[in-house]
C-alpha cells in the first residue's frame, strides 16, 4: 500500500513538474513574441496611417505625374508599402517622423472598372511630424530624370528597395477588393 501511495505522490509531482515546464515555456514564448510583435505592430500602424492619409487627402495632393484626381465625389482607394521609417529605432507611431514607401491609389468612380480607373502610383515620402501629414511623391523634373530624382530624395537603402518593390500580393488583393466595393462593382 505504501508503494502505491508513493507512486501516486510521484505521479502528482511529475504532473506538477510538467505543468510548471509548460507554463515556463509559454511565458518565454509570450515574452519573445511580444518583443517581435512591437515592430510588426508599429509597421501595421504606419501602413494604416499612410493609407488613411492618402485616402483622405485633398485631391490636389494626389496631383502628380500628370494625373489629377477626378470629381470630388469620387473616393480614392490606396494600397501602400513601407520601405522604412526614421528614426528607425522608435517603438511608437507618435515617434515616427519620416516614412519612405510606395503607394498605388485608384480613383473609384461609380461603375468604373479598375483597369480604366485613374491611378496614382509611385514611391513617396511622408512627413509624419507635420499636421496634416506632408506627402512628397517622386517625380522627374525638366532637369532631373526620374531615377536620379528618386536617388536625391531617398536614402540609398530605401532607393534600392523603391526600384524593385511595390505592393505585396495580399495588399494588392485588398486594394482591388476595396476599390471594387467603392466603385459599386
Amino acid at each position: 500500500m505504501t508503494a502505491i501511495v508513493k507512486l501516486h505522490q510521484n505521479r502528482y509531482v511529475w504532473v506538477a513538474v510538467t505543468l510548471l515546464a509548460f507554463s515556463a515555456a509559454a511565458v518565454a514564448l509570450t515574452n519573445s513574441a511580444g518583443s517581435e510583435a512591437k515592430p510588426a505592430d508599429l509597421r501595421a500602424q504606419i501602413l494604416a496611417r499612410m493609407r488613411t492619409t492618402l485616402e483622405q487627402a485633398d485631391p490636389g495632393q494626389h496631383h502628380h505625374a500628370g494625373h489629377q484626381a477626378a470629381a470630388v465625389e469620387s473616393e480614392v482607394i490606396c494600397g501602400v508599402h513601407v520601405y522604412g521609417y526614421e528614426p528607425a529605432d522608435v517603438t511608437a507611431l507618435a515617434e515616427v517622423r519620416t516614412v519612405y514607401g510606395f503607394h498605388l491609389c485608384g480613383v473609384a468612380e461609380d461603375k468604373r472598372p479598375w483597369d480604366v480607373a485613374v491611378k496614382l502610383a509611385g514611391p513617396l515620402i511622408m512627413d509624419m511630424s507635420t499636421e496634416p501629414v506632408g506627402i512628397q511623391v517622386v517625380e522627374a523634373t525638366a532637369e532631373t530624370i526620374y531615377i536620379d530624382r528618386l536617388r536625391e530624395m531617398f536614402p540609398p537603402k530605401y532607393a534600392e528597395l523603391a526600384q524593385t518593390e511595390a505592393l505585396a500580393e495580399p495588399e494588392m488583393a485588398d486594394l482591388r477588393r476595396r476599390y471594387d466595393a467603392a466603385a459599386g462593382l
Side-chain angles (χ1 to χ4, degrees), residues 5-79:
V5 171
K6 284 185 181 181
L7 182 59
H8 226 358
Q9 288 173 341
N10 286 340
R11 189 178 304 159
Y12 289 124
V13 169
W14 285 113
V15 168
V17 168
T18 304
L19 287 174
L20 183 60
F22 279 121
S23 298
V27 168
L29 288 174
T30 302
N31 287 341
S32 69
S35 64
E36 292 172 8
K38 286 182 184 177
D41 183 53
L42 178 58
R43 185 168 284 270
Q45 291 175 25
I46 292 170
L47 286 168
R49 178 78 187 272
M50 285 177 68
R51 187 178 300 111
T52 301
T53 298
L54 290 166
E55 290 179 351
Q56 294 177 351
D58 179 273
Q61 290 178 286
H62 281 276
H63 181 82
H64 64 87
H67 295 287
Q68 187 168 2
V72 174
E73 64 273 358
S74 299
E75 192 173 351
V76 177
I77 306 297
C78 298

Side-chain angles (χ1 to χ4, degrees), residues 2-3 13 20 35 39 68-69 87 94 120 127 130 154 176-177:
T2 345
V13 169
L20 183 60
S35 64
Q68 187 168 2
L120 311 162
D127 181 354
T130 63
F154 277 61
R176 291 293 302 270
R177 181 191 54 74

Side-chain angles (χ1 to χ4, degrees), residues 46-116:
I46 292 170
L47 286 168
R49 178 78 187 272
M50 285 177 68
R51 187 178 300 111
T52 301
T53 298
L54 290 166
E55 290 179 351
Q56 294 177 351
D58 179 273
Q61 290 178 286
H62 281 276
H63 181 82
H64 64 87
H67 295 287
Q68 187 168 2
V72 174
E73 64 273 358
S74 299
E75 192 173 351
V76 177
I77 306 297
C78 298
V80 295
H81 177 69
V82 174
Y83 298 132
Y85 52 89
E86 294 176 358
D89 60 348
V90 299
T91 57
L93 181 62
E95 298 171 326
V96 175
R97 295 288 165 240
T98 307
V99 176
Y100 300 92
F102 177 85
H103 76 299
L104 173 57
C105 300
V107 180
E109 297 177 82
D110 192 43
K111 303 298 183 205
R112 181 173 289 235
W114 173 261
D115 293 341
V116 294

Side-chain angles (χ1 to χ4, degrees), residues 102-182:
F102 177 85
H103 76 299
L104 173 57
C105 300
V107 180
E109 297 177 82
D110 192 43
K111 303 298 183 205
R112 181 173 289 235
W114 173 261
D115 293 341
V116 294
V118 172
K119 294 179 193 76
L120 311 162
L124 59 73
I125 300 170
M126 295 186 111
D127 181 354
M128 306 287 266
S129 66
T130 63
E131 191 57 48
V133 172
I135 303 168
Q136 273 187 292
V137 294
V138 176
E139 293 184 290
T141 65
E143 301 81 29
T144 309
I145 62 173
Y146 175 83
I147 192 68
D148 290 341
R149 184 70 177 130
L150 174 70
R151 290 179 183 143
E152 286 174 5
M153 293 175 66
F154 277 61
K157 63 182 175 181
Y158 302 138
E160 289 297 318
L161 290 172
Q163 293 174 56
T164 59
E165 292 183 16
L167 296 184
E169 190 63 38
E171 180 73 8
M172 187 65 197
D174 182 59
L175 169 62
R176 291 293 302 270
R177 181 191 54 74
R178 292 184 315 111
Y179 175 88
D180 288 348

